[in-house]
Amino acid sequence: MAEHRGEVVVIGAGPAGIAAAERAAAYGRSVIVLDDNPEVGGQIWRGERERLTRGDVRWILGARVVDVVGERALLVEGTGGGAERVVFEHLVLATGARERFLPFPGWTLPGVTGAGGLQAMVKGGLPIEGKRVVIAGSGPLLLAVAAYLRGRGARIAYIAEQAPWRRLAGFSLHLLCSVEKLRQALALRVALAGVPYAASTWPLAAEGEGNLERAVLRTSRGTVRIGCDYLACGFGLVPNLELARLLNCDVRDGFVAVDEHQRTSCAGIFAAGEVTGIGGLDLSLLEGEIAGCAAAGHESDAHRLVAQRPAARRFASALAEAFALRGELKALPDAQTIVCRCEDVTYERLAEHTTSRSAKLHTRCGMGPCQGRVCGAAAEFLFGWTSDYARPPVFPTRIATLTAYHEVTT
Amino acid sequence: MPDTIALRVDGRAVDISAGSTVLAAVAIAGQQSCRRSVSGESRGPLCGMGICFECRVTIDGVQHRRACQMLCAPGMEVRTDG
Ligand SMILES: Cc1cc2nc3c(=O)[nH]c(=O)nc-3n(C[C@H](O)[C@H](O)[C@H](O)COP(=O)(O)OP(=O)(O)OC[C@H]3O[C@@H](n4cnc5c(N)ncnc54)[C@H](O)[C@@H]3O)c2cc1C
Ligand code: FES
């Protein structure tokens, strides 16, 4: 099995990972970045190679980190199926976040997608011109996605934000504190001129024969039905904690716990970006830089950057407060709504249990290939179940990868 | 690399620009769904980023490949089961 060694190894080629890698490389460290996407950029800069400006960094893409093997080594599976071992001295976890999806009747119909999810698909070449799209869920991501899709020729029929106007108004005041954020907000307004945007509005159902045909929305003025080709839903973001858990890094309030230099509770392991809290691009970049300095042993440079963090963090807490999910969304699924899409476990079957462990043992919820990445975040919201458990490998892995490692060690 | 790539989805010829995902090719072939769930529902892509496994297809005879994470290559044979 091939082996790579890096003084600093970064997992995740999103903004945080890129910033960390370029900083560490600038200090002359040998740096490797691993990411499971075929292109760099993470979620927001998907495929934008021009973001890589400086530095002598080794990018290993299409490479999924599936396990931790031994003291300081990772087991990596390539898209083509090959297995590699990556040995690190210092590790930066920049694994980012994913969308939270909530179940409602019809959400398993083809055509119902994530919001950031649909954007990612279009960035990957999915044709969207002329398609009618309803966007629903919560957070500023809905607007960013709407503007992007409209720019690619989609017809945005409706944007449904579950948060109430009162909260959104409070959040807008926060934008006034930053010229850049205000500029972005105004640009979105222009890009979305004429698109209906409603607060206190959420999806009740997706309808159609075989494929999605209509979105049913609850609005303050009653129920509306809107014909569409896509219903793109995202209810906020949740961190990708699986590797941090496998490495035994402390998790606090649902995120990887870090000190002011982005150090986790494990020596030599740092975390940056949305695994440590949902705070948007600026905070991810800043944390990445701090982690890059600290992982390269340049603590004083890291320290200089720390001063910029409180402002970025304030924005993060304003986000969390404004777009908190309302309790009514817990009532969206009916008894027959599938919650676990891998094993087709219905709401009714899950509701018989009081813990995720019991549900897992009796219904197989969370035991399918997504390993609970979709239903786990939904069940956390619906039933208050938390799971602090990560089982290796963190992604379904080919037997050949696991046996290749076994041959090396025995 | 050529600008366009020719491949087949469920036997149908698809020409697609280089750098596109297999998921995009499936959509261009007119297919909204990728797989059948354990209870037989047809399912299409959800997350677009490799975590939900709803976009699984068979590529060149290898099952369970996530279409959203794979780039198209010339001559690929893609099969959906939706
Ligand atoms: C689907 C989606 C779309 C978004 N779109 C926008 C947008 O349009 N505008 C905006 O302002 N914000 C957007 N955001 C928010 C944005 O992601 C953050 O603001 C910021 O990009 C986070 O940066 P990051 O570096 O922390 O993580 P990310 O950009 O999420 O990068 C993390 C990377 O780590 C990789 N990774 C995770 N686990 C592993 C593993 N085990 N092995 C290998 N690689 C791994 C991931 O594939 C990913 O590429 C989006 C978020 C999501 C989830
Ligand atoms: S669409 Fe979710 S894994 Fe491909």
Side-chain angles (χ1 to χ4, degrees):
Chain A
M1 176 163 44
E3 186 173 286
H4 306 283
R5 285 176 178 272
E7 287 169 304
V8 177
V9 171
V10 180
I11 308 178
I18 293 174
E22 290 184 342
R23 270 281 173 165
Y27 294 116
R29 296 286 175 275
S30 64
V31 180
I32 296 176
V33 183
L34 302 165
D35 195 292
D36 55 355
N37 284 290
E39 298 280 357
V40 293
Q43 300 310 334
I44 179 167
W45 293 341
R46 187 169 283 274
E48 298 176 21
R49 289 200 180 180
E50 59 280 13
R51 299 286 179 181
L52 310 180
T53 48
R54 299 150 277 149
D56 185 12
V57 174
R58 177 135 190 235
W59 305 92
I60 305 182
L61 301 171
R64 229 178 314 151
V65 179
V66 292
D67 205 351
V68 177
V69 287
E71 252 304 284
R72 286 215 158 335
L74 306 167
L75 181 62
V76 176
E77 184 175 82
T79 320
E84 293 174 344
R85 215 166 92 97
V86 176
V87 182
F88 61 87
E89 279 172 35
H90 299 278
L91 184 67
V92 180
L93 296 170
T95 50
R98 55 180 177 252
E99 286 183 282
R100 187 195 298 272
F101 304 113
L102 294 182
F104 51 84
W107 80 302
T108 53
L109 278 175
V112 181
T113 65
L118 183 60
Q119 172 178 257
M121 293 174 211
V122 172
K123 287 184 178 178
L126 183 95
I128 199 73
E129 204 180 325
K131 302 278 191 216
R132 296 159 308 160
V133 183
V134 171
I135 299 178
S138 202
L141 182 58
L142 303 186
L143 298 173
V145 169
Y148 175 83
L149 296 178
R150 196 180 205 199
R152 304 294 300 264
R155 283 151 54 196
I156 309 298
Y158 210 92
I159 306 174
E161 165 62 60
Q162 58 88 38
W165 278 121
R166 179 173 39 80
R167 289 257 179 91
L168 298 179
F171 181 72
S172 323
L173 289 179
H174 254 272
L175 298 176
L176 297 175
C177 305
S178 147
V179 176
E180 180 50 26
K181 292 228 154 43
L182 191 61
R183 195 194 60 73
Q184 289 166 2
L186 292 175
L188 278 177
R189 253 193 103 126
V190 173
L192 293 173
V195 173
Y197 176 81
S200 296
T201 300
W202 56 86
L204 291 175
E207 296 176 343
E209 282 305 315
N211 286 324
L212 172 73
E213 290 163 26
R214 282 172 309 278
V216 184
L217 301 177
R218 179 272 177 207
T219 75
S220 348
R221 279 187 246 118
T223 304
V224 295
R225 282 188 159 67
I226 303 175
C228 55
D229 302 297
Y230 290 101
L231 169 57
C233 300
F235 293 86
L237 303 179
V238 288
N240 292 319
L241 292 177
E242 292 74 15
L243 285 172
R245 288 223 153 99
L246 212 58
L247 288 155
N248 285 318
C249 299
D250 280 354
V251 172
R252 201 181 306 136
D253 301 330
F255 295 97
V256 179
V258 287
D259 71 3
E260 61 161 12
H261 287 174
Q262 308 297 136
R263 277 183 291 241
T264 69
S265 60
C266 300
I269 302 181
F270 300 78
E274 299 214 303
V275 262
T276 71
I278 304 304
L281 178 61
D282 299 346
L283 185 58
S284 291
L285 285 170
L286 182 61
E287 290 191 351
E289 289 205 62
I290 295 172
C293 292
H298 286 256
E299 303 273 332
S300 55
D301 289 355
H303 201 71
R304 263 192 287 282
L305 292 165
V306 168
Q308 300 172 29
R309 199 165 37 194
R313 285 242 169 106
R314 270 198 297 281
F315 180 72
S317 33
L319 260 181
E321 197 179 318
F323 297 102
L325 297 182
R326 52 169 78 229
E328 290 103 313
L329 301 176
K330 292 184 190 173
L332 290 183
D334 64 26
Q336 294 310 318
T337 304
I338 284 171
V339 177
C340 167
R341 303 172 61 122
C342 294
E343 299 288 339
D344 287 357
V345 185
T346 57
Y347 181 84
E348 168 182 68
R349 289 184 56 212
L350 286 180
E352 292 168 10
H353 299 272
T354 53
T355 63
S356 63
R357 201 182 132 71
S358 155
K360 204 177 219 167
L361 287 175
H362 293 95
T363 69
R364 289 193 55 79
C365 174
M367 305 276 278
C370 98
Q371 301 189 349
R373 282 178 172 79
V374 176
C375 60
E380 184 188 8
F381 176 71
L382 295 173
F383 304 112
W385 295 344
T386 51
S387 159
D388 54 3
Y389 172 74
R391 94 185 121 115
V394 296
F395 275 109
T397 303
R398 274 153 208 282
I399 301 291
T401 303
L402 299 172
T403 51
Y405 168 66
H406 201 66
E407 278 160 23
V408 171
T409 52
T410 50
Chain B
M1 225 191 330
D3 292 345
T4 60
I5 286 176
L7 69 164
R8 296 172 84 79
V9 177
D10 296 331
R12 247 187 87 172
V14 173
D15 287 317
I16 195 166
S17 43
S20 303
T21 59
V22 170
L23 183 59
V26 169
I28 290 171
Q31 195 54 27
Q32 280 245 40
S33 65
C34 293
R35 71 171 193 112
R36 290 225 167 250
S37 74
V38 297
S39 67
E41 287 189 355
S42 74
R43 293 283 169 80
L46 175 70
C47 74
M49 56 179 280
I51 62 141
C52 75
F53 289 74
E54 287 286 28
C55 65
R56 279 172 282 163
V57 295
T58 301
I59 301 178
D60 294 335
V62 184
Q63 288 182 307
H64 304 310
R65 320 253 39 205
R66 284 167 301 165
C68 72
Q69 294 298 90
M70 299 282 297
L71 295 183
C72 292
M76 257 182 182
E77 285 284 346
V78 180
R79 291 229 153 258
T80 68
D81 190 18

